[in-house]
Amino acid sequence: MTDAATENNAASPSLNILAQYVKDFSFENPGAPRSLQARDKAPAINISVNVNANPLSETDFDVILSLNAEAKDGDKMLFNAELAYGGVFRVAGFPQEHMLPVLFIECPRLLFPFARQIIADATRNGGFPPLMIDPIDFAQMFTQRMAEEQVKAKVNAN
């Protein structure tokens, strides 16, 4: 290999998962065993998603995917599952303008299948059918978050 090829390989973008972990997890089934009885209509399920990223070093970042899934039958809570699932990512060789999209789109996209499985297992183990959360469009979430940040910046500037 030539020196130029070595330089190109050193500068080529890379994204590696160094660790994955459950940071915080809670499953509540406050009405059990009554909440487990058959019902004539499906419960209302509300799912919220959030992503945060914190630098650990120049190339390493801690990305946390937070999922909250709540099922209600009328005003009665059937279950509430809260999960903060993290990953430590090594991000190298990306231009600065690509760092936020990598951290807030690609990293949570890689974490999501594992977090989804934890929620599905918890709801199943809680006596309900497993909750299989639909795939999440992290790119759309990121775009919306950036638009909200721009509006806040304009409001604060005035």
Side-chain angles (χ1 to χ4, degrees):
M1 223 190 311
T2 66
D3 289 334
T6 305
E7 273 182 37
N8 285 343
N9 286 344
S12 66
S14 67
L15 174 62
N16 303 95
I17 302 174
L18 304 180
Q20 289 179 235
Y21 61 95
V22 172
K23 185 172 182 89
D24 190 18
F25 181 63
S26 168
F27 181 83
E28 298 174 42
N29 188 351
R34 285 196 170 89
S35 62
L36 304 176
Q37 296 171 340
R39 53 187 46 79
D40 27 337
K41 65 179 172 108
I45 297 176
N46 183 31
I47 298 170
S48 61
V49 181
N50 195 20
V51 177
N52 281 306
N54 298 301
L56 299 174
S57 72
E58 197 172 304
T59 58
D60 296 353
F61 296 85
D62 182 34
V63 177
I64 303 291
L65 172 60
S66 299
L67 298 175
N68 186 344
E70 184 180 73
K72 288 187 170 185
D73 186 11
D75 62 346
K76 290 187 178 152
M77 184 194 304
L78 298 177
F79 69 78
N80 186 32
E82 297 176 2
L83 173 64
Y85 190 74
V88 177
F89 292 86
R90 179 156 294 149
V91 183
F94 284 92
Q96 190 59 40
E97 66 271 15
H98 293 170
M99 287 301 290
L100 286 178
V102 167
L103 293 172
F104 287 89
I105 299 171
E106 287 307 310
C107 293
R109 187 181 59 76
L110 293 168
L111 294 174
F112 176 73
F114 300 96
R116 178 183 193 238
Q117 189 61 51
I118 291 168
I119 296 289
D121 289 347
T123 53
R124 187 192 67 238
N125 292 340
F128 299 95
L131 177 60
M132 300 304 287
I133 299 172
D134 288 336
I136 296 168
D137 185 348
F138 291 105
Q140 189 266 333
M141 268 183 63
F142 176 74
T143 302
Q144 184 177 348
R145 186 173 181 171
M146 291 295 102
E148 288 169 2
E149 294 292 328
Q150 286 177 349
V151 168
K152 280 182 193 175
K154 283 181 185 176
V155 168
N156 291 338
N158 294 336

